Amino acid sequence: MTPGKKRKMTKTTEILEKQKKYLWSNHILYYTEPLPLERGEGMTVWDVEGKPYLDFFGGILTTSVGHNHPEVVEAAQEQTAKLIHSSTLYPHENHVNLAEKLAEIAPGDLQVSYFTPSGTDADETAVLLAKMATGQQEIVALRHGYSGRSAVGMSLTAHSPWRIGGTQVLGIKHALNPYCYRCPLKMTYPSCDVACAQDVEDVIRTTTSGRIAAFIAEPIQGVGGFITPPPGYFKIVTEIVRQYGGLFICDEVQTGFGRTGDKWFGIEHWDVEPDIMTMAKGIANGFPLANTITTAEIAEGMAGKGLTISTFGGNPVSMAASLATIDVMEKENLPEHVAVVGKQLIDGLKKLQEKYPVIGDVRGKGLMVGIEMVTNRETKEPAGTAVNHLFEETRQMGLLIGKGGLYGNVIRVAPPLVATKEDVDKALEIFDIAFARVQEEM
Ligand SMILES: Cc1ncc(COP(=O)(O)O)c(C=O)c1O
């Protein structure tokens, strides 16, 4: 700004000034000038100045059937007019109907649900249940995993930037993760024979009492940068975990509800049945809701052993929104649709990888695609500055994207599941121009 020139007070500047004054400064905000949003419809969101954006991050993989889907809006409005809240002390039709629906679509014997308001809550609930059901205390998680922001959530998480305050819950150990692009064992798939899976056994045998309550993992590590395990990984690991008395907690907070294409849940790609599964984000198209689902037998592990309640956990409005969201997913065959447009997206990005050396890796499944950016393909040096440049370029051209990874150098591409072929074409076109500009400056 020219010195002495009075700054024009737009709606954006007004919001940003209040943000700075009244909200904690540690809020993470994307873009050099953060972007206040006002409304959304389908694949599009508008900022407060009226500029539209094609949303390829879907509110962090949450607006699963598109912004303000009319059926979700209607279901929530109808329920809001009837009863907003009563607490789970009284059974509610939406609560039991959603639990029944989830029992129908969840893999294996996962039949009984416990609803909470956030993914963090769901993971905490899963860990507590595993401990009470097995009588063991120790948990094995994976490096580069993310499980939320509570003390347990941060202790399960294995990224230093997300483990703030030095909080450490005892009894949580971390095994090597199946990160093929940066293999922790410096091996290559398939000749490696998925050697990283064996580390789970080493960790159990060397850092625990030899009996564990659970192993927790995401089918594709979300915050970690859409790290996708090789085939066979989960089969080997779950066998090891069960051999040492543990339950497998599958965290489907990002991968659930058709996100990975063809299947309802990410773990189904690897023919493994979890003992406990957590879900949130896409479950209710943006309404706060999470769930921990398990078998009737494991759930008994908490019965009669004391009291627990989640005041907002069975909220009838969130439940109505979730039932409507799943209904739309079923009617529109979204898991199948995601497989088709997801392939188009990943193929398109792999073509861009051939053109732009800054793209080190393209990976993922369905509409959960990561682009790992590097300054040098040989050394794989993370390209953090280039990521920021790409963010500004794509924003300018009206495309919203996300990022992640331990080094903050992975672009997360995860639009609502209703993205069409034309939406994917448009996003690829913008990526092409943006990557060209980023590459030129490197
Ligand atoms: C895999 C996974 N688990 C748990 C969580 C925590 O969810 P929430 O932010 O709703 O507490 C997240 C959030 O990003 C996540 O990605």
Side-chain angles (χ1 to χ4, degrees):
M1 200 172 46
T2 331
K5 195 173 167 194
K6 199 162 184 297
R7 192 166 177 203
K8 190 173 161 242
M9 187 60 106
T10 61
K11 208 165 174 189
T12 302
T13 49
E14 195 185 328
I15 292 171
L16 296 187
E17 278 176 19
K18 284 191 191 172
Q19 167 93 26
K20 199 163 175 207
K21 192 163 172 195
Y22 296 113
L23 289 161
W24 289 15
S25 61
N26 69 340
H27 278 82
I28 304 160
L29 297 171
Y30 275 170
Y31 306 110
T32 314
E33 178 174 88
L35 176 59
L37 296 179
E38 191 164 73
R39 68 191 176 91
E41 193 182 316
M43 290 295 299
T44 310
V45 283
W46 283 263
D47 70 16
V48 291
E49 311 299 335
K51 179 175 170 173
Y53 300 84
L54 183 61
D55 187 358
F56 263 56
F57 200 35
I60 326 182
L61 295 80
T62 297
T63 38
S64 42
V65 295
H67 290 277
N68 288 43
H69 192 289
E71 288 178 41
V72 179
V73 171
E74 194 189 331
Q77 279 174 338
E78 216 173 86
Q79 183 55 47
T80 303
K82 267 199 256 174
L83 180 70
I84 295 175
H85 177 77
S86 64
S87 92
T88 49
L89 295 174
Y90 313 97
H92 190 276
E93 191 182 5
N94 294 354
H95 199 192
V96 297
N97 286 347
L98 181 59
E100 181 184 34
K101 183 81 224 168
L102 294 173
E104 186 194 306
I105 64 173
D109 297 329
L110 303 177
Q111 289 291 295
V112 291
S113 286
Y114 195 97
F115 295 102
T116 49
S118 73
T120 301
D121 263 295
D123 282 353
E124 284 255 3
T125 305
V127 166
L128 178 64
L129 171 64
K131 289 181 179 180
M132 292 180 77
T134 59
Q136 300 297 327
Q137 286 294 311
E138 289 157 294
I139 307 286
V140 176
L142 287 182
R143 295 188 189 179
H144 299 247
Y146 182 84
S147 299
R149 57 180 299 280
S150 63
V152 168
M154 285 194 292
S155 302
L156 293 168
T157 293
H159 288 252
S160 53
W162 295 104
R163 292 170 61 101
I164 59 174
T167 308
Q168 294 274 357
V169 170
L170 293 178
I172 296 173
K173 309 290 177 189
H174 294 93
L176 297 176
N177 70 333
Y179 192 172
C180 294
Y181 183 63
R182 295 180 189 275
C183 175
L185 298 170
K186 310 271 178 277
M187 296 169 100
T188 311
Y189 180 81
S191 59
C192 64
D193 270 337
V194 198
C196 56
Q198 223 48 54
D199 190 54
V200 171
E201 183 161 26
D202 289 348
V203 165
I204 295 171
R205 294 184 67 166
T206 59
T207 71
T208 75
S209 61
R211 299 292 292 173
I212 59 167
F215 164 74
I216 182 168
E218 305 153 75
I220 293 177
Q221 292 183 311
V223 173
F226 292 177
I227 298 169
T228 312
Y233 175 81
F234 276 106
K235 262 224 143 88
I236 302 172
V237 166
T238 44
E239 270 166 32
I240 295 170
V241 167
R242 287 175 180 145
Q243 203 185 318
Y244 291 88
L247 302 176
F248 171 36
I249 302 171
C250 181
D251 180 338
E252 294 270 1
V253 168
Q254 294 210 17
T255 47
F257 298 96
R259 170 61 57 191
T260 57
D262 272 334
K263 318 274 184 191
W264 280 104
F265 295 97
I267 198 65
E268 294 176 90
H269 291 283
W270 290 291
D271 282 334
V272 169
E273 286 178 10
D275 302 297
I276 305 173
M277 202 162 82
T278 61
M279 47 186 89
K281 295 197 188 282
I283 189 173
N285 210 37
F287 282 83
L289 179 63
N291 183 31
T292 306
I293 191 167
T294 187
T295 67
E297 192 191 340
I298 294 170
E300 279 307 297
M302 266 172 99
K305 292 184 185 161
L307 305 179
T308 187
I309 193 166
S310 174
T311 302
F312 295 119
N315 179 271
V317 180
S318 292
M319 300 283 151
S322 179
L323 282 162
T325 302
I326 298 170
D327 198 37
V328 172
M329 290 175 174
E330 283 185 323
K331 276 195 299 207
E332 298 185 12
N333 280 331
L334 285 184
E336 288 84 352
H337 169 76
V338 165
V340 176
V341 284
K343 181 167 183 327
Q344 179 198 351
L345 177 64
I346 208 162
D347 288 351
L349 290 173
K350 284 199 164 148
K351 279 209 182 98
L352 296 186
Q353 186 184 14
E354 287 165 19
K355 265 169 99 171
Y356 304 113
V358 70
I359 303 180
D361 192 30
V362 174
R363 56 180 177 252
K365 266 191 190 300
L367 285 174
M368 188 169 184
V369 185
I371 309 169
E372 180 145 1
M373 292 172 66
V374 292
T375 55
N376 178 320
R377 282 195 182 167
E378 291 300 307
T379 62
K380 300 184 181 174
E381 185 66 28
T385 315
V387 167
N388 295 338
H389 185 181
L390 190 84
F391 257 68
E392 300 302 328
E393 293 288 351
T394 46
R395 173 201 181 151
Q396 210 197 338
M397 287 184 276
L399 178 72
L400 300 189
I401 53 175
K403 65 175 145 180
L406 182 60
Y407 317 103
N409 68 324
V410 182
I411 300 295
R412 291 198 283 164
V413 190
L417 312 181
V418 291
T420 60
K421 181 181 176 307
E422 290 71 34
D423 294 322
V424 171
D425 280 340
K426 178 81 194 153
L428 288 169
E429 203 180 297
I430 294 175
F431 270 127
D432 196 0
I433 301 170
F435 273 115
R437 289 180 186 160
V438 168
Q439 191 71 64
E440 207 178 283
E441 292 241 327
M442 289 188 70

